[in-house]
């Protein structure tokens, strides 16, 4: 059986650090501990406002990590240049709004088509695996394929919201959308990833979907680690996604 990979997003270790302007907790330490605890990759989002991960985090984590680094960036020239300079193993292109608390939805592929096509091609020429963070919509799956992306990451926010609030009919419909998109994407030859808002319970439910290669999980891992530590949390997620 093919192993489903776990990407650990450590943005919120930096959020805690920045809240007090101190140099702890150190995201690099979290990245190395995640690596030791069984993470398959480390995800960091360098936001345009640098509210959590900062440029020097990117540099030190890239330098010291032995597992792949997945850099999340907005579709902008500045971010493309940073990616090319720092050469993460993977890039996931995500939408960004200054005032949002977190990445609230998938990319607007129609609006950004020309820029995205070029950005994907430049990243691939630099041997960086590219993923597009999209809503679970069949039209966006097809557009991702046409734009030349290697992978898609399906935004699981709607699913997780309805799952947490026990809105059964919405859970069912969002689950079906994710399942259908995963199937169609696989037929297009795209690798399928899932991420956003996942907890032990929602990841358990969603891991029934076939053809998922990677989960990217952050906020819940950092939160749960306060009580049981990163090692225990990561090991538990590993078991859940590979059951
Ligand atoms: N995947 C992508 C593309 C993201 O932007 C994020 C953070 O919003 C995550 C996964 C992780 O989400 P969370 O922190 O809610 O687990």
């Amino acid at each position: 059986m093919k192993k489903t990979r776990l990407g650990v997003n450590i943005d919120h270790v930096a959020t805690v650090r920045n809240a007090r302007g101190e140099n702890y907790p150190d995201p690099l330490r979290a990245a190395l501990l995640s690596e030791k605890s069984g993470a398959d990759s480390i995800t960091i989002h360098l936001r345009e406002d640098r509210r959590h991960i900062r440029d020097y985090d990117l540099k030190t984590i890239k330098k010291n990590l032995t597992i792949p680094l997945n850099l999340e960036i907005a579709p902008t020239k500045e971010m493309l240049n940073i990616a090319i300079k720092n050469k993460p193993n993977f890039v996931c292109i995500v939408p960004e709004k200054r005032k949002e608390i977190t990445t609230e939805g998938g990319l607007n592929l129609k609006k950004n088509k020309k820029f995205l096509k070029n950005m994907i091609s430049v990243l691939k020429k630099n041997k960086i695996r590219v993923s597009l963070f999209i809503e679970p919509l069949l039209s966006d799956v097809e557009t991702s394929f046409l734009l030349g992306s290697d992978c898609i990451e399906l935004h699981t926010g709607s699913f997780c919201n309805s799952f947490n609030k026990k809105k059964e009919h919405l859970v069912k419909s969002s689950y079906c959308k994710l399942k259908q998109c995963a199937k169609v994407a696989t037929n297009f030859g795209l690798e399928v990833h899932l991420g956003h808002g996942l907890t032990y319970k929602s990841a358990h439910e969603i891991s029934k979907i076939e053809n998922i290669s990677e989960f990217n999980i952050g906020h819940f891992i950092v939160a749960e680690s306060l009580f049981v530590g990163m090692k225990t949390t990561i090991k538990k997620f590993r078991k859940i996604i590979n059951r």
Side-chain angles (χ1 to χ4, degrees), residues 112-202:
N112 289 311
K113 236 180 203 171
K114 206 171 154 200
F115 186 85
L116 281 170
K117 194 164 186 173
N118 180 55
M119 183 167 177
I120 293 167
S121 145
V122 173
L123 289 167
K124 284 171 76 168
K125 272 185 201 137
N126 280 272
K127 303 197 178 346
I128 298 171
R129 185 198 78 177
V130 186
S131 175
L132 298 178
F133 194 36
I134 60 168
E135 285 299 315
L137 297 169
L138 290 177
S139 56
D140 281 357
V141 172
E142 186 178 4
T143 308
S144 301
F145 166 72
L146 294 172
L147 289 173
S149 189
D150 300 303
C151 327
I152 51 163
E153 180 160 332
L154 296 171
H155 196 299
T156 52
S158 299
F159 171 79
C160 291
N161 263 336
S162 42
F163 185 86
N164 294 341
K165 290 180 184 150
K166 299 190 171 42
K167 292 182 177 169
E168 290 306 330
H169 61 292
L170 290 176
V171 173
K172 219 171 172 185
S173 65
S174 45
Y175 181 90
C176 284
K177 278 188 197 164
L178 289 165
K179 191 174 168 182
Q180 212 181 9
C181 285
K183 193 172 173 204
V184 171
T186 307
N187 289 341
F188 276 127
L190 291 162
E191 202 176 89
V192 183
H193 309 162
L194 297 180
H196 201 88
L198 289 162
T199 61
Y200 289 145
K201 284 184 182 163
S202 48

Side-chain angles (χ1 to χ4, degrees), residues 9 12 72 92 94 102-103 133 153 195-198 216-219:
N9 180 317
H12 296 302
E72 291 178 4
C92 179
V94 301
T102 180
T103 314
F133 194 36
E153 180 160 332
H196 201 88
L198 289 162
N216 283 300
I217 307 175
H219 187 252

Side-chain angles (χ1 to χ4, degrees), residues 59-89:
K59 280 194 181 64
T60 55
I61 292 170
K62 174 69 183 99
K63 190 168 158 216
N64 290 284
L65 206 63
T66 52
I67 54 175
L69 176 64
N70 178 32
L71 178 66
E72 291 178 4
I73 46 171
T76 67
K77 257 193 177 164
E78 182 206 1
M79 289 298 155
L80 176 59
N81 289 337
I82 289 175
I84 293 164
K85 197 168 154 210
N86 288 279
K87 297 223 170 351
N89 310 77

Side-chain angles (χ1 to χ4, degrees), residues 218-234:
H219 187 252
F220 185 84
I221 290 183
V222 174
E224 184 68 1
S225 297
L226 292 174
F227 304 106
V228 299
M230 291 197 93
K231 190 173 166 188
T232 304
T233 310
I234 289 170

